[in-house]
């Protein structure tokens, strides 16, 4: 027998340590070569650690949420022979009589008894033997009522067995109403919401990264938010027409149109398409639009980046938005598709909301948030017409962006979004 120590490899340039976000093995488990041992998270991505050898786990580095330095032992595996460690690997001999792990058979899952199929119970028999008798099952009288009455009673927490029918045996809504009016004398009280168990959840992995980044952004950046209303009636009509004739191309949402409008507007507002190194006191205004796209995933909020958005049309942007969002939710997003953005868009989609105050994705200096589209009556001259309206929010770093600049930028976006044909003009 031999012991092989698997050390955490260098899983990213400049990374000194990684966080354990999930264990897929435990001490005593048998593992095969290339089997996933653990998921480790760096500042940029989550990486699966695969076993280079087959054997039995005898040590693990720590618990979920703990940090492991690069080069430190992650797991120790007991192998059947030194050769299993592979050529070039360092394996240490251990005593052959290393105590094994006692296997405990899992307890069978409890089975809920079915009164209709209750098993017979052995009863004493005069002859010394035991005779089987079925367990007697008490049956309650079932009140007669329509499905609608039953559903209403269930919502109110009323036991129909306590309700008296005014006519015949069938309980009607009127009988239920009478019980609700006078049932307090019989001890009836509506069901109150029930409390649930407290739960302690460790803040680890992606959620820890989000917490740290949001705290740093709010702590270091003096935010201000500007919100304005935009009439997107013409834009929504154009979007519907394009989707109706899109063929094999992806379905268009509002975001590709908004990003095109931003890319056409930002050259006149370079202070918004920038990154601020507050330690060096330098603002870098980018000549390209690397647009971050806030994306909700099962692990939390991530921000994949659409590179060179200024060179893409609405169809190309729609394709890239779909690809990045699916990769982020599946956990297959590459590290080079994250970070180094110049401005971010965040949208709650159909949830929308009336207005938002988004938090800036540091070290960027601005973030744009479209809100829910609502249909309302508006005045057009002397006429009242139906219009589709949307509030557009923008949060900016007040150290480098003035309120006038933010408001002027949104007004320029308004021109493109309210006259969407301009988005396709050269």
């Amino acid at each position: 027998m031999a012991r092989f120590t698997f050390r955490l490899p260098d899983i990213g340039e400049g990374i000194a340590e990684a966080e354990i976000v999930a264990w897929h093995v435990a001490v005593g488990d048998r593992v095969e070569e290339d089997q996933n041992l653990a998921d480790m998270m760096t500042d940029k991505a989550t990486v699966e650690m695969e076993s280079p050898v087959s054997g039995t786990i005898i040590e693990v580095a720590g618990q979920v949420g703990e940090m492991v330095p690069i080069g430190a032992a992650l797991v120790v595996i007991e192998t059947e022979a030194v050769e299993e460690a592979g050529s070039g690997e360092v394996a240490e001999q251990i005593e052959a009589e290393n105590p094994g792990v006692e296997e405990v058979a899992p307890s069978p899952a409890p089975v809920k008894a079915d009164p209709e199929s209750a098993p017979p119970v052995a009863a004493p028999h005069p002859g010394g033997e035991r005779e089987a008798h079925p367990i007697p099952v008490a049956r309650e009288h079932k009140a007669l009522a329509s499905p609608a009455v039953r559903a209403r009673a269930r919502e109110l927490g009323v036991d129909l067995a306590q309700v008296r029918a005014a006519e015949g045996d069938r309980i009607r809504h009127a009988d239920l109403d009478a019980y609700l009016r006078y049932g307090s004398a019989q001890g009836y009280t509506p069901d109150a919401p029930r409390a649930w168990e407290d739960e302690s959840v460790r803040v680890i992995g992606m959620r820890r990264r989000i917490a740290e980044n949001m705290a740093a952004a709010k702590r270091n950046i003096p935010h201000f938010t500007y919100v304005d209303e935009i009439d997107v009636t013409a834009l929504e009509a154009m979007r519907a027409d394009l989707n109706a004739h899109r063929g094999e191309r992806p379905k268009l949402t509002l975001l590709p149109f908004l990003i095109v409008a931003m890319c056409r507007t930002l050259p006149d507002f370079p202070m918004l398409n920038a990154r601020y190194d507050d330690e060096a006191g330098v603002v870098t205004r980018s000549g390209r639009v690397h647009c971050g796209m806030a994306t909700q995933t099962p692990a939390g909020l991530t921000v994949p980046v659409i590179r060179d958005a200024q060179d893409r049309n609405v169809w190309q942007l729609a394709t890239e938005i779909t690809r990045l969002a699916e990769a982020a939710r599946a956990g297959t997003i590459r590290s080079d598709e994250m970070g180094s953005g110049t401005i971010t868009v965040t949208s709650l989609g159909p949830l929308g909301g009336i207005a938002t105050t988004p938090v800036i994705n540091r070290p960027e200096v601005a973030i744009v948030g479209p809100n829910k589209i609502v249909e309302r009556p508006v005045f057009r001259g002397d006429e009242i017409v139906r219009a589709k309206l949307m509030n557009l929010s923008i949060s900016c770093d007040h150290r480098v962006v003035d309120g006038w600049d933010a408001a002027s930028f949104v007004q320029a976006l308004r021109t493109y979004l309210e006259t969407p044909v301009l988005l396709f003009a050269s």
Side-chain angles (χ1 to χ4, degrees):
M1 306 293 284
R3 181 165 61 183
F4 174 76
T5 302
F6 176 52
R7 301 184 182 278
L8 182 63
D10 186 356
I11 53 179
E13 183 177 354
I15 301 300
E17 59 183 3
E19 179 184 357
I20 304 170
V21 293
W23 278 114
H24 299 290
V25 296
V27 172
D29 286 355
R30 169 75 186 180
V31 296
E32 302 298 330
E33 186 175 350
D34 297 329
Q35 181 177 333
N36 190 11
L37 300 173
D39 295 342
M40 307 296 295
M41 173 174 282
T42 68
D43 290 336
K44 297 183 178 180
T46 299
V47 182
E48 294 181 350
M49 295 290 105
E50 296 179 347
S51 176
V53 298
S54 300
T56 301
I57 302 294
I58 59 174
E59 293 181 23
V60 296
Q63 298 180 352
V64 170
E66 295 184 4
M67 306 300 293
V68 179
I70 300 298
L74 184 63
V75 296
V76 178
I77 303 172
E78 185 179 70
T79 62
E80 295 179 356
V82 177
E83 290 75 19
E84 288 192 15
S87 59
E89 301 284 358
V90 178
E92 299 175 357
Q93 296 291 337
I94 61 171
E95 298 176 354
E97 59 271 18
N98 185 61
V101 178
E102 181 180 358
E103 296 185 358
V104 180
S107 301
V111 179
K112 187 175 181 180
D114 182 358
E116 299 292 339
S117 58
V121 175
H125 189 271
E129 298 179 357
R130 303 176 73 85
E131 183 178 355
H133 294 282
I135 296 176
V137 178
R139 300 184 181 274
E140 296 181 355
H141 172 70
K142 186 175 182 180
L144 298 178
S146 68
V149 171
R150 291 188 182 282
R152 184 180 172 209
R154 192 161 48 246
E155 292 174 358
L156 293 169
V158 173
D159 181 4
L160 286 178
Q162 305 298 321
V163 181
R164 179 178 298 177
E167 298 180 9
D169 295 328
R170 181 174 293 276
I171 298 172
R172 296 172 172 80
H173 283 288
D175 301 322
L176 188 55
D177 291 337
Y179 181 82
L180 294 175
R181 286 194 298 270
Y182 306 109
S184 57
Q186 304 176 37
Y188 165 72
T189 54
D191 280 352
R194 296 181 179 180
W196 53 91
E197 295 292 333
D198 293 346
E199 183 181 9
S200 297
V201 180
R202 295 192 65 192
V203 180
I204 63 170
M206 183 67 72
R207 181 50 55 188
R208 176 190 284 178
R209 296 288 187 274
I210 294 170
E212 293 171 348
N213 292 341
M214 293 298 100
K218 293 296 287 186
R219 183 172 57 248
N220 293 285
I221 299 176
H223 285 62
F224 76 89
T225 300
Y226 173 82
V227 184
D228 204 350
E229 186 178 71
I230 296 176
D231 187 339
V232 293
T233 306
L235 177 60
E236 283 296 280
M238 173 182 282
R239 186 171 71 87
D241 288 341
L242 290 172
N243 280 332
H245 301 89
R246 73 179 190 272
E248 299 297 323
R249 292 178 292 191
K251 185 177 181 180
L252 294 172
T253 64
L254 174 75
L255 284 185
F257 297 95
L258 175 60
I259 294 173
V260 170
M262 291 169 56
C263 291
R264 287 179 174 266
T265 305
L266 283 171
D268 295 329
F269 298 89
M271 72 292 292
L272 292 168
N273 190 49
R275 294 168 65 85
Y276 181 32
D277 185 343
D278 47 8
E279 293 185 0
V282 175
V283 177
T284 302
R285 296 178 174 182
S286 178
R288 298 179 176 182
V289 180
H290 300 314
C291 186
M293 183 183 71
T295 304
Q296 191 66 38
T297 74
L301 189 68
T302 62
V303 188
V305 176
I306 304 169
R307 306 290 176 193
D308 290 307
Q310 77 283 345
D311 294 334
R312 304 174 190 258
N313 60 35
V314 290
W315 300 108
Q316 293 167 334
L317 286 168
T319 300
E320 187 69 353
I321 288 169
T322 301
R323 185 188 71 81
L324 289 173
E326 290 177 351
R329 295 186 182 108
T332 58
I333 194 84
R334 302 194 309 268
S335 59
D336 62 345
E337 295 172 329
M338 304 280 289
S340 300
T342 58
I343 191 169
T344 292
V345 173
T346 179
S347 172
L348 292 174
L351 295 178
I354 297 174
T356 50
T357 56
V359 178
I360 297 168
N361 187 26
R362 188 170 180 255
E364 297 169 19
V365 300
I367 182 169
V368 177
N371 296 288
K372 181 169 58 178
I373 297 174
V374 296
E375 196 169 49
R376 294 204 300 267
V378 299
F379 280 100
R380 296 270 172 82
D382 294 332
E383 296 183 351
I384 299 177
V385 298
R386 297 168 64 172
K388 293 183 178 180
L389 305 175
M390 178 190 76
N391 287 337
L392 187 68
S393 303
I394 182 170
S395 292
C396 299
D397 186 337
H398 217 329
R399 296 173 299 179
V400 295
V401 179
D402 296 329
W404 178 271
D405 297 324
S408 300
F409 173 69
V410 173
Q411 295 305 315
L413 285 179
R414 178 205 292 273
T415 301
Y416 283 103
L417 296 177
E418 293 190 347
T419 314
V421 68
L422 296 176
L423 297 173
F424 297 89
S426 58

